[in-house]
Amino acid sequence: MKSEVKIPQATTKRLPLYYRFLQNFANEGQERVSSQQLSEAMKIDSATIRRDFSYFGALGKKGYGYDVKHLLAFFSETLDQAEPSKVALIGVGNLGSALLKYNFQKNHNTHIVVAFDSKAPIEGKLVSNIPVYPPELLEEKYQEYGAEMAILTVSPRSAQMMADRLAAIEAKGILNFTPERIHVPERMQVLNIDLSVELQALIYLIRNQEE
Amino acid sequence: MKSEVKIPQATTKRLPLYYRFLQNFANEGQERVSSQQLSEAMKIDSATIRRDFSYFGALGKKGYGYDVKHLLAFFSETLDQAEPSKVALIGVGNLGSALLKYNFQKNHNTHIVVAFDSKAPIEGKLVSNIPVYPPELLEEKYQEYGAEMAILTVSPRSAQMMADRLAAIEAKGILNFTPERIHVPERMQVLNIDLSVELQALIYLIRNQEE
């Protein structure tokens, strides 16, 4: 991004989604798209879409909408992952194992390259073809495998300690699946995914609508 | 919620988080809390917190902040799950199996009670102590087990078809882990969690900061 404007995190998180939906429109041969069409396809209200796009300097024209090719080129450049992203996974429990198997096959250039688990032998073992080492080798193996960021699927009580160790080896970001809110230096990025909170939010939405 | 104001979905999703953090403050014996303190603890900017709270009719006082007990009572009432929520899980692949094992143990009243998978035998089998049936029994078993909502962890190509079948039996909501955006009747609630998008967003945040 060459822009100086600070883009809100909520907008940033929608960017890969916009990209995916625009690709669908392009595949269908559509040359332009309105915020209403995107809104219906994505289930995001159109005012939000227009505001998001304005952050990227993409301004639709009234009665015309957005140029699909132009937007795609812009998003593709923005999301460009030409340089492969290598990810370490910490905590091979139920969720960690599932993520190892899943391994983000749809993200062409992004893969989990190494994992850590307290039950792994010191010489390492393979899970879904990914080497898993005990946590005492975190610093050594994280760097040896060239990981840039980490997925945290440890127990909540280990979350901050692992975040501190990741900060010390200059990890660039953490995808945090634990319910703990972790504290990291400002230069690091953290995204939180708390599955219990998501389920509670769904229940709340349902109950809220029932009344 | 007795309020007539329509609360944005993003705000709704933060509600269980607010509840958890306020409990922490209460446990530490704190009687009041400022939006700044919540902001630092939760890593959400304080303007967002003040706006969210205003939707709930909770107005902090300048130089005093919010009354912790009062807020807790309000959120507790709002999130009240006295009536247990029973959830069906559809698609026992890697992620589905992990969710069955995890089974939201921290949500006291919410559990996966039944699951469906195309590889399950017609008489059902137990996975992590939860009965799993083939999809042709969805309508029958969903109702037999009293499920109210569903978690979708099927392949993307089955997502809409399953959503349609859930709509037909009046499911109240779907927690959608597939990358498909599903279409449902307006009375149904959908929350989407796309793990690839989350990872791409993290990478984007990192790259965006590097420049």
Side-chain angles (χ1 to χ4, degrees):
Chain A
M1 295 298 297
K2 268 90 200 177
S3 151
E4 295 296 310
V5 183
K6 199 168 178 294
I7 296 172
Q9 184 163 316
T11 300
T12 298
K13 288 181 70 172
R14 284 189 283 269
L15 213 151
L17 260 187
Y18 285 134
Y19 185 58
R20 180 173 303 158
F21 277 88
L22 285 166
Q23 278 181 314
N24 292 347
F25 281 115
N27 291 342
E28 290 165 7
Q30 216 171 309
E31 284 175 20
R32 51 192 194 174
V33 65
S34 67
S35 51
Q36 275 76 16
Q37 283 177 295
L38 275 171
S39 169
E40 279 162 34
M42 298 179 66
K43 311 275 168 205
I44 294 175
D45 79 80
S46 58
T48 301
I49 293 174
R50 284 192 298 273
R51 198 185 53 227
D52 282 352
F53 281 19
S54 74
Y55 286 119
F56 306 120
L59 298 168
K61 285 177 211 142
K62 256 217 162 93
Y64 179 87
Y66 299 91
D67 185 287
V68 172
K69 254 192 209 149
H70 182 255
L71 271 181
L72 262 183
F74 172 78
F75 283 131
S76 155
E77 197 189 342
T78 306
L79 283 173
D80 184 46
Q81 293 177 25
E83 213 183 321
S85 298
K86 294 181 180 170
V87 181
L89 182 136
I90 307 178
V92 188
N94 300 325
L95 185 59
S97 307
L99 292 174
L100 283 188
K101 266 204 174 173
Y102 175 69
N103 206 1
F104 303 96
Q105 288 118 340
K106 286 204 191 106
N107 299 36
H108 315 288
N109 268 319
T110 303
H111 291 288
I112 299 168
V113 290
V114 63
F116 300 92
D117 191 77
S118 52
K119 287 182 195 132
I122 194 80
E123 69 277 14
K125 64 169 180 174
L126 289 177
V127 174
S128 301
N129 271 319
I130 295 151
V132 184
Y133 295 99
E136 54 264 40
L137 296 181
L138 173 68
E139 287 75 8
E140 180 189 332
K141 296 295 178 185
Y142 186 92
Q143 277 155 340
E144 187 182 316
Y145 283 87
E148 277 192 278
M149 62 195 80
I151 295 173
L152 261 195
T153 42
V154 294
S155 67
R157 66 175 185 286
S158 310
Q160 185 59 53
M161 187 258 287
M162 281 301 170
D164 292 343
R165 288 174 63 182
L166 286 164
I169 52 176
E170 309 222 313
K172 290 173 181 166
I174 295 177
L175 196 57
N176 176 26
F177 279 92
T178 80
E180 285 292 307
R181 294 303 101 156
I182 52 178
H183 298 262
V184 297
E186 248 188 46
R187 60 177 161 76
M188 278 176 79
Q189 300 289 346
V190 176
L191 282 183
N192 299 298
I193 307 180
D194 186 326
L195 302 177
S196 284
V197 167
E198 300 285 343
L199 187 62
Q200 270 184 284
L202 178 65
I203 293 164
Y204 171 69
L205 279 169
I206 289 171
R207 300 274 179 261
N208 194 17
Q209 195 185 43
E210 281 174 349
E211 277 176 25
Chain B
M1 294 298 297
K2 269 92 200 171
S3 152
E4 295 297 310
V5 183
K6 197 168 179 295
I7 295 171
Q9 186 164 315
T11 300
T12 298
K13 289 182 69 172
R14 283 189 284 270
L15 213 151
L17 261 187
Y18 286 135
Y19 184 59
R20 181 174 304 160
F21 276 89
L22 285 166
Q23 279 181 313
N24 292 348
F25 282 115
N27 291 343
E28 290 164 8
Q30 216 172 309
E31 284 177 20
R32 53 194 194 175
V33 64
S34 66
S35 52
Q36 275 76 16
Q37 283 176 296
L38 275 171
S39 169
E40 279 161 33
M42 298 179 66
K43 312 276 169 204
I44 294 174
D45 79 80
S46 58
T48 301
I49 293 175
R50 284 192 298 271
R51 198 185 54 229
D52 283 352
F53 281 20
S54 74
Y55 286 120
F56 306 120
L59 299 167
K61 285 176 212 144
K62 256 220 164 89
Y64 179 88
Y66 298 92
D67 186 287
V68 172
K69 255 192 207 149
H70 179 147
L71 271 181
L72 263 184
F74 172 78
F75 283 133
S76 156
E77 197 189 344
T78 306
L79 283 172
D80 185 45
Q81 293 176 26
E83 214 183 320
S85 298
K86 294 181 180 170
V87 181
L89 181 136
I90 307 177
V92 188
N94 300 325
L95 186 59
S97 307
L99 292 174
L100 284 187
K101 263 203 176 172
Y102 174 69
N103 207 1
F104 303 96
Q105 286 118 341
K106 287 207 187 102
N107 300 36
H108 316 288
N109 268 318
T110 303
H111 290 288
I112 300 168
V113 291
V114 64
F116 301 93
D117 191 77
S118 52
K119 287 181 196 135
I122 194 80
E123 68 276 15
K125 64 170 180 174
L126 290 177
V127 175
S128 301
N129 270 319
I130 295 153
V132 184
Y133 295 99
E136 55 265 40
L137 296 182
L138 173 68
E139 288 75 5
E140 180 189 332
K141 296 295 178 185
Y142 186 92
Q143 277 156 339
E144 187 182 316
Y145 283 87
E148 275 192 280
M149 63 195 80
I151 295 173
L152 261 195
T153 42
V154 294
S155 68
R157 67 176 184 285
S158 311
Q160 185 58 53
M161 187 259 288
M162 281 299 170
D164 292 342
R165 288 173 64 183
L166 286 165
I169 51 176
E170 310 220 312
K172 291 174 182 166
I174 295 177
L175 196 57
N176 176 25
F177 279 93
T178 81
E180 285 293 305
R181 294 303 101 158
I182 52 178
H183 299 261
V184 297
E186 250 190 44
R187 60 177 162 74
M188 278 175 80
Q189 301 289 346
V190 176
L191 283 183
N192 299 299
I193 307 180
D194 186 327
L195 301 177
S196 283
V197 168
E198 300 285 343
L199 187 62
Q200 271 183 283
L202 178 65
I203 292 163
Y204 171 69
L205 280 168
I206 289 171
R207 300 274 180 261
N208 194 17
Q209 195 185 43
E210 280 174 351
E211 279 177 25

